[in-house]
Amino acid sequence: MTEALVHVIDDDAAMRDSLAFLLGSSGLAVKTYESALHFLEAHPGPVEGCIVTDVRMPDMNGLQLVRLLKGRGSTAPVIVITGHGDVPLAVEAMREGVVDFLEKPFEEDAILASISRALEGLAADQARHQELERVQEAFRSLSQRENEVLQGIVAGKLNKTIAFELGISPRTVEVYRANVMTKTGANSLSELVRMSLLAAAERR
């Protein structure tokens, strides 16, 4: 695995140490916390990386932690580990957005595979978010007329049709179209359409 940060939350010191050693040996950066409250104190804002938490802990259990983080708008993927009697609680956590749960005792390969999937999903989400920000910034740079030409292009209209509807010449439409391609960084018509659809989907 490539180096990434994993937060391990468990009131069992032996379990914390065991997971920290396993994950560290697999090339992952690890931080451990003896309770959900200690974790929240250390991270009052956004959380980077992936969270692995026991579901049954004093003061605040794993499900309560998941709900609190969800209320904060956290996008950090969460994996819960549970004893046999706490499976219903873990299932409820899944309904709240947990990406996986593992029942003790679990195999080392199982926890490593689960974390790997969670981190891969997080990286994909971050890439999509960065792409969306880039697209939105590019579209904000367009003038009103360039936006009007863009809408015509995305609708599949010919230059002469766009020109007629806007009361300008086809040559002027070509100039605006070139400006749109330059400002958005689109290398093709299909890429421009994809970017427009991405921005439109986010606005809905």
Side-chain angles (χ1 to χ4, degrees), residues 43-55:
H43 301 279
V47 179
E48 294 183 0
C50 170
I51 299 168
V52 177
T53 180
D54 192 14
V55 73

Side-chain angles (χ1 to χ4, degrees), residues 3-65:
E3 184 173 351
L5 180 59
V6 181
H7 305 274
V8 175
I9 310 168
D10 200 312
D11 59 322
D12 183 339
M15 177 60 75
R16 288 199 308 273
D17 293 344
S18 176
L19 281 174
F21 178 78
L22 171 64
L23 302 181
S25 299
S26 301
L28 296 164
V30 187
K31 290 186 177 180
T32 62
Y33 313 82
E34 63 186 42
S35 71
L37 295 181
H38 278 90
F39 171 78
L40 292 170
E41 288 172 3
H43 301 279
V47 179
E48 294 183 0
C50 170
I51 299 168
V52 177
T53 180
D54 192 14
V55 73
R56 180 70 67 181
M57 296 181 291
D59 299 321
M60 177 183 290
N61 66 36
L63 177 56
Q64 291 169 324
L65 172 63

Side-chain angles (χ1 to χ4, degrees), residues 52-139:
V52 177
T53 180
D54 192 14
V55 73
R56 180 70 67 181
M57 296 181 291
D59 299 321
M60 177 183 290
N61 66 36
L63 177 56
Q64 291 169 324
L65 172 63
V66 168
R67 287 174 173 162
L68 191 151
L69 291 173
K70 185 177 179 181
R72 286 184 178 182
S74 173
T75 58
V78 181
I79 299 164
V80 297
I81 51 180
T82 174
H84 177 70
D86 297 325
V87 169
L89 197 60
V91 172
E92 182 63 25
M94 292 283 285
R95 295 195 182 102
E96 294 290 340
V98 167
V99 297
D100 198 4
F101 79 88
L102 297 172
E103 189 177 359
K104 302 173 185 175
F106 46 78
E107 298 291 334
E108 292 183 354
D109 288 347
I111 186 71
L112 290 174
S114 182
I115 291 172
S116 179
R117 288 192 299 270
L119 291 172
E120 287 171 2
L122 178 61
D125 287 343
Q126 290 173 337
R128 282 192 293 269
H129 180 69
Q130 291 171 353
E131 169 69 0
L132 177 60
E133 286 187 334
R134 187 188 73 79
V135 168
Q136 290 175 330
E137 181 63 27
F139 283 173

